[in-house]
Amino acid sequence: PEFQYNKVGTSAYSGTSVPQRLNEDVTWKMNTQLRLEAAVRSRDEQWSMGASIDTTAVEDPLGHDYQWVAAGTAYTPRTGWVPGLHAAYQVNTRGSKLRYVTTGLTLFNTLSFDMTRSIDTVHLESNDVLSIHGRYPRSVIYNLLLEIVI
């Protein structure tokens, strides 16, 4: 598909290439990408492992390249009284080369909580607006899922 964008007001931005990129192209075409995925389960279906790989790199509307590789594992107990556990690792092999680790648990086969954290960090310095400084993850994502089957 092809997307057309109106020019974006960027007067509030400074010091980055984002405003320039937002106003350069008003049409962006999504590229085709093929992702290969595979998964296996143990015979008792309590353990599973999976992996995926994007076979080609693609560019997002701001010109950032990405091509993801991911692998994960999960333990699903026979009873809902024991929490299920899962973990995964994914990396963008192009562009930013961001790396993420995901961990999570499932309670009573209904409520799942996941946290995804980038391994890569940024250094923040104090200024008049921001009074924190130090190294922080580039991103942290929390997911809470309530699944009810009727």
Side-chain angles (χ1 to χ4, degrees):
E2 194 169 280
F3 302 90
Q4 293 184 345
Y5 297 95
N6 295 327
K7 291 198 181 260
V8 177
T10 58
S11 60
Y13 295 94
S14 65
T16 68
S17 63
V18 172
Q20 182 181 356
R21 289 290 298 174
L22 288 173
N23 285 315
E24 278 180 358
D25 300 319
V26 293
T27 301
W28 176 72
K29 185 175 181 181
M30 183 182 281
N31 294 315
T32 302
Q33 186 173 41
L34 175 66
R35 174 174 289 169
L36 302 176
E37 297 180 348
V40 295
R41 284 187 179 236
S42 62
R43 287 183 189 244
D44 62 5
E45 295 189 2
Q46 287 187 285
W47 288 96
S48 61
M49 291 179 7
S52 67
I53 184 170
D54 295 339
T55 61
T56 57
V58 294
E59 188 177 273
D60 70 10
L62 294 177
H64 301 128
D65 290 331
Y66 59 92
Q67 183 176 9
W68 292 100
V69 175
T73 188
Y75 170 72
T76 306
R78 293 183 194 274
T79 175
W81 296 104
V82 176
L85 303 171
H86 48 275
Y89 174 80
Q90 59 187 16
V91 61
N92 180 6
T93 60
R94 304 293 172 130
S96 65
K97 308 240 182 200
L98 280 175
R99 301 166 296 159
Y100 291 97
V101 172
T102 300
T103 57
L105 59 93
T106 302
L107 301 172
F108 310 113
N109 295 326
T110 302
L111 183 65
S112 295
F113 177 75
D114 295 312
M115 182 184 85
T116 301
R117 181 189 186 280
S118 65
I119 296 171
D120 308 289
T121 59
V122 293
H123 179 74
L124 299 178
E125 298 204 13
S126 296
N127 61 31
D128 293 338
V129 177
L130 190 64
S131 62
I132 58 174
H133 66 279
R135 288 216 158 280
Y136 295 92
R138 284 191 60 175
S139 60
V140 177
I141 304 165
Y142 297 99
N143 287 310
L144 182 63
L145 170 70
L146 177 62
E147 185 175 348
I148 300 173
V149 179
I150 299 176

